[in-house]
Amino acid sequence: MYIAYFCFEKYKIDDIFDFLDEYCLFKDFKFIVDAFSSENQFFKAFDTKKYRIIIFDIGNHGKECIETASKIREIDNNAALIFFAGNKYYGYDAFLLYAADYIFKPVKYDRLEKTLDRILKNINVSKKYITVNNNKINTKINISTIIYIEVIGNVSCIHISSGNVVKAYITLSELERTLSNNPLFLRTHKSYIINMEYVSSMEGNSFIMKNGDIIAIRKNNCKEIKRIYQRFSLRKR
């Protein structure tokens, strides 16, 4: 699951990242956290992936945080918004934006843990299989076996680790929405979604998958797509 962390002061609270890592460790969960210091950074990334939880660290830029959160609400009613604040000044504004929580600083792990537990109960994050229609037969596919998905004409071809390819009459955008809760999957191109667990290397503007197939990275948002994978690769070590 992707989490966005806003801090307009251009610094981040390392404790928060430590808290999120600790949560993942003890809950056997996976977060990919991206830090932002401006609206532009966020909305460029928002084109590439969906953030289910968005954390705003209100320092001296409370007005900017509320304005950005309002713009997010205009396009996404489902993202859980969490605000970290030194006082209650923006609490009412956060309430009007249906914030999941408004936590006073310094943030304590126990409080953040309870908030995340409550949010995740309402989000389907544990899907292990997808079901697609393959030649009028519903086929169940273990998500962890998917190497990548490519679209050819009106058919999405799902390449799985056994070497088989499951063909389904479903759009890539539909599959992307189905897999949006799983941070391992990345839309790299209008024709491809990859499982980052199966990337062997990144060469130029392409991913080399572990089965030897080469997957293109689109020119638009190329840097952001590479950065997402590099961040994932570093966290995996």
Side-chain angles (χ1 to χ4, degrees):
M1 175 185 289
Y2 294 111
I3 294 181
Y5 172 75
F6 268 96
C7 187
F8 284 86
E9 273 78 7
K10 294 188 178 181
Y11 69 87
K12 59 182 181 292
I13 300 175
D14 291 333
D15 283 351
I16 301 306
F17 286 78
D18 291 341
F19 287 166
L20 292 171
D21 284 341
E22 185 176 348
Y23 186 90
C24 290
L25 178 65
F26 286 105
K27 304 285 182 173
D28 191 23
F29 199 76
K30 285 187 178 181
F31 286 142
I32 293 179
V33 186
D34 293 334
F36 301 97
S37 59
S38 75
E39 274 188 16
N40 287 339
Q41 286 180 339
F42 172 79
F43 285 111
K44 283 181 181 178
F46 191 82
D47 288 339
T48 307
K49 54 191 170 180
K50 186 176 182 66
Y51 295 99
R52 304 306 299 271
I53 299 173
I54 304 173
I55 299 172
F56 289 92
D57 186 352
I58 296 178
N60 297 318
H61 295 264
K63 183 179 179 181
E64 289 92 331
C65 285
I66 295 300
E67 288 176 350
T68 299
S70 298
K71 291 176 183 177
I72 291 169
R73 270 289 173 259
E74 290 175 4
I75 58 176
D76 189 340
N77 287 320
N78 297 316
L81 306 182
I82 302 173
F83 293 85
F84 298 154
N87 54 55
K88 62 182 181 180
Y89 187 81
Y90 292 98
Y92 182 68
D93 295 295
F95 171 77
L96 293 178
L97 292 168
Y98 304 100
D101 209 346
Y102 191 88
I103 303 175
F104 289 118
K105 296 190 286 188
V107 178
K108 303 295 184 183
Y109 175 79
D110 289 348
R111 174 62 185 276
L112 182 60
E113 179 186 29
K114 290 178 181 177
T115 299
L116 293 173
D117 283 347
R118 188 177 71 252
I119 291 170
L120 295 177
K121 279 182 181 179
N122 297 318
I123 298 177
N124 180 14
V125 296
S126 58
K127 185 179 285 187
K128 294 183 179 180
Y129 297 89
I130 60 171
T131 301
V132 297
N133 190 298
N134 177 28
N135 277 335
K136 299 182 179 181
I137 299 174
N138 286 334
T139 302
K140 191 175 182 181
I141 303 173
N142 187 323
I143 285 175
S144 67
T145 67
I146 297 174
I147 301 174
Y148 70 93
I149 306 169
E150 66 176 329
V151 65
I152 301 175
N154 296 322
V155 179
S156 288
C157 301
I158 304 169
H159 297 253
I160 56 179
S161 56
S162 66
N164 292 332
V165 178
V166 178
K167 296 181 179 180
Y169 286 93
I170 182 173
T171 68
L172 205 61
S173 293
E174 288 179 273
L175 285 170
E176 184 180 20
R177 284 192 293 271
T178 299
L179 296 168
S180 64
N181 288 333
N182 192 315
L184 298 178
F185 289 89
L186 176 63
R187 181 80 175 259
T188 68
H189 188 275
K190 66 179 181 180
S191 301
Y192 296 105
I193 296 172
I194 65 166
N195 183 341
M196 291 187 284
E197 288 278 14
Y198 287 95
V199 173
S200 176
S201 63
M202 185 169 57
E203 297 180 8
N205 290 335
S206 300
F207 287 110
I208 312 300
M209 308 307 289
K210 290 182 179 178
N211 68 348
D213 290 350
I214 300 173
I215 306 299
I217 302 173
R218 65 175 178 243
K219 291 181 180 179
N220 183 28
N221 285 334
C222 180
K223 289 183 180 179
E224 176 63 17
I225 291 169
K226 288 182 177 181
R227 190 186 69 80
I228 292 169
Y229 174 70
Q230 287 165 347
R231 187 176 180 85
F232 165 80
S233 184
L234 286 172
R235 280 183 168 270
K236 189 180 174 184
R237 292 175 186 174

